Amino acid sequence: MANVTVIGAQWGDEGKGKIVDWLASRADAVVRFQGGHNAGHTLVVGNQTYKLSLLPSGIVRGTPSFIGNGVVLDPWHFRDEIEKLRGQGVDITPDNLRLAENCPLILPFHRDLDGLREDASEFKIGTTRRGIGPAYEDKVGRRAIRVCDLAHLDDLGPQIDRLCAHHDAVRAGFGEAPIDRERLLSDLTEIAPSVLPFARPVWSELNKAVKRGDRVLFEGAQGMLLDVDHGTYPFVTSSNTVSGAAASGSGLGPRATGFVLGIVKAYTTRVGAGPFPTELEDEIGQRLGERGHEFGTVTGRQRRCGWFDAVLVRQSCAVSGISGIALTKIDVLDRMDTVKICTGYRLGDQVLDYFPSHAADQAAVVPIYEEMPGWNESTEGARSWADLPAQAIKYIQRVQELIETPVALVSTSPEREDTILVRDPFED
């Protein structure tokens, strides 16, 4: 039986939450391995809608859930999201939610710095202003405060010295006061009891689970095109979102990642700034946004919409070693006269079958489209191939041909059970 790693294969917002929730019924553990509470995963179960940004989506089903060391954790948001879900009837305890004790913390001055940087420059990255990037900077700068430090606050002086030596100088450059050390220690003392009961050596527990033969589901956040190495730099997130990050961000070796399932929307969306070759700034783009309810779960920002870009997704599949895709939101394309797929780019007198690395080239490419007839029937709620219109099936088949990766699942609505299983990732 294979483990499964779920990642976004576009710019995020592909519908990972629903797919992870659906797969969680087949899993023994669900693991978040990168990012922070800048992720936005929406689950619809009957009449109840759950919005998660930090906790693994498996927690809604009660599947044992883990936050790995590759995540950066805002402890106050952690507490508040737990309480919010408990208020919706979700049972969350240290028995079904475990937090890596070596997970770095997002602290108030990280949020401050995130906002100061965005406001100080006309060149906007489009961050969520939640402190994700500055927290990762402190991690690699070896000055982060981690979950395990909350149990040793009396010994934290030297680490706070390192933090302040860096951040006070940066804050002074923005005209901000130094970090209030006493306030920081007071805040950490206050939040520690809400966090420490969940702290565990997650790497050890997951290794034991794998040795038992448990099925582990790794839940990625954001999307491959936002990867700090392979994405549309500098308009990217601050972590590696590719499948390989599941190994380092959980404490399991690379063999544990198993079947890599790329989540792919049947069209393309992007939140915030950055290149977007197939963006539609017309009535069709507006229609896609309205029908797809394209607003960010975390930020509430309206998503930019465009046609499906097979070049980008093929690149994502190659870089992340994607075994199969879950195609989501096919129903948003219902009753369109024609649909288009980007099959290549023109850059000057060149034709490219990949997305170039330089920002100027990324902004200059012109998409080459293949046009297909649409379908006048509804795909919403379909749960088998027989329920799909013939032209919708042709569209799906053409997508998998162009991205050189098979379709494993098709999602036809936000509802948990409106899913067509073509190839079970856990049985591969």
Side-chain angles (χ1 to χ4, degrees):
M1 303 298 182
N3 296 332
V4 176
T5 299
V6 173
I7 63 166
Q10 294 159 306
W11 279 296
D13 308 308
E14 303 96 347
K16 293 183 293 297
K18 173 197 165 169
I19 299 300
V20 171
D21 171 63
W22 190 83
L23 289 169
S25 65
R26 296 162 167 79
D28 300 300
V30 180
V31 187
R32 272 286 308 272
F33 58 86
Q34 51 75 220
H37 64 306
N38 55 339
H41 295 171
T42 300
L43 313 181
V44 179
V45 184
N47 295 324
Q48 186 74 272
T49 298
Y50 304 93
K51 293 183 180 293
L52 292 78
S53 56
L54 177 62
L55 302 187
S57 298
I59 198 68
V60 173
R61 280 196 184 265
T63 306
S65 297
F66 297 79
I67 296 176
N69 56 276
V71 173
V72 285
L73 182 109
D74 182 320
W76 295 275
H77 183 91
F78 178 74
R79 176 195 63 193
D80 294 345
E81 189 168 317
I82 287 174
E83 290 307 313
K84 179 183 176 183
L85 288 173
R86 282 173 173 166
Q88 292 183 278
V90 179
D91 181 36
I92 302 177
T93 71
D95 291 328
N96 63 9
L97 177 64
R98 291 95 184 249
L99 169 65
E101 58 190 6
N102 52 341
C103 194
L105 299 181
I106 300 172
L107 301 170
F109 52 82
H110 292 133
R111 296 193 297 270
D112 294 343
L113 182 56
D114 211 353
L116 288 167
R117 284 173 172 166
E118 279 288 280
D119 294 337
S121 173
E122 294 182 4
F123 183 78
K124 308 293 184 186
I125 298 297
T127 77
T128 58
R129 298 171 177 258
R130 294 193 165 200
I132 309 296
Y136 273 118
E137 290 176 39
D138 280 350
K139 174 184 176 178
V140 298
R142 294 166 292 186
R143 53 182 174 263
I145 295 174
R146 303 185 298 171
V147 169
C148 55
D149 292 320
L150 295 175
H152 301 274
L153 292 176
D154 291 341
D155 302 322
L156 206 53
Q159 197 69 357
I160 292 179
D161 289 341
R162 285 177 55 79
L163 273 171
C164 290
H166 173 78
H167 281 276
D168 287 350
V170 175
R171 290 170 68 89
F174 286 106
E176 296 292 315
I179 293 171
D180 185 334
R181 295 170 61 108
E182 290 187 9
R183 175 66 182 273
L184 175 60
L185 273 171
S186 174
D187 288 345
L188 292 173
T189 301
E190 177 268 333
I191 198 61
S194 298
V195 176
L196 287 174
F198 297 92
R200 297 284 194 282
V202 159
W203 68 269
S204 176
E205 296 198 9
L206 288 175
N207 272 276
K208 290 175 183 176
V210 169
K211 289 178 180 177
R212 287 195 302 267
D214 289 356
R215 290 172 161 184
V216 180
L217 177 60
F218 298 92
E219 177 181 9
Q222 291 87 44
M224 208 293 296
L225 298 173
L226 294 174
D227 184 272
V228 70
D229 287 312
H230 299 285
T232 49
Y233 193 90
F235 302 99
V236 293
T237 193
S238 299
S239 62
N240 285 113
T241 60
V242 294
S243 60
S248 60
S250 64
L252 285 169
R255 289 183 299 175
T257 53
F259 187 102
V260 180
L261 182 68
I263 314 303
V264 178
K265 197 176 288 186
Y267 49 103
T268 311
T269 62
R270 178 164 201 170
V271 172
F276 187 168
T278 66
E279 183 173 10
L280 297 170
E281 299 180 275
D282 56 14
E283 291 182 2
I284 296 176
Q286 183 177 353
R287 178 181 176 184
L288 291 172
E290 291 173 352
R291 295 191 63 182
H293 306 290
E294 297 296 352
F295 295 90
T297 302
V298 170
T299 63
R301 291 180 291 182
Q302 186 169 359
R303 298 175 186 139
R304 302 151 64 192
C305 298
W307 293 119
F308 184 83
D309 192 329
V311 182
L312 287 176
V313 176
R314 183 172 62 244
Q315 195 161 321
S316 293
C317 291
V319 170
S320 261
I322 291 175
S323 312
I325 69 164
L327 192 67
T328 66
K329 290 199 168 185
I330 187 73
D331 54 301
V332 175
L333 298 181
D334 289 352
R335 298 188 173 87
M336 301 188 81
D337 293 333
T338 59
V339 290
K340 295 182 180 181
I341 301 175
C342 174
T343 60
Y345 305 124
R346 296 192 187 279
L347 180 61
D349 58 359
Q350 294 180 286
V351 174
L352 303 180
D353 62 355
Y354 65 93
F355 200 47
S357 295
H358 197 278
D361 292 336
Q362 292 176 348
V365 298
V366 177
I368 300 170
Y369 285 117
E370 178 178 306
E371 191 168 312
M372 299 179 66
W375 49 92
N376 291 319
E377 304 163 68
S378 174
T379 63
E380 184 175 359
R383 298 184 180 182
S384 71
W385 281 117
D387 297 332
L388 293 175
Q391 197 57 46
I393 294 175
K394 290 180 181 179
Y395 179 81
I396 295 168
Q397 290 173 336
R398 186 57 179 148
V399 163
Q400 67 180 357
E401 289 172 3
L402 289 168
I403 67 174
E404 300 172 0
T405 307
V407 171
L409 299 164
V410 179
S411 171
T412 58
S413 92
E415 288 286 344
R416 175 185 280 172
E417 300 305 326
D418 290 343
T419 305
I420 300 171
L421 178 62
V422 182
R423 179 181 177 192
D424 191 335
F426 280 119
E427 299 293 342
D428 193 83

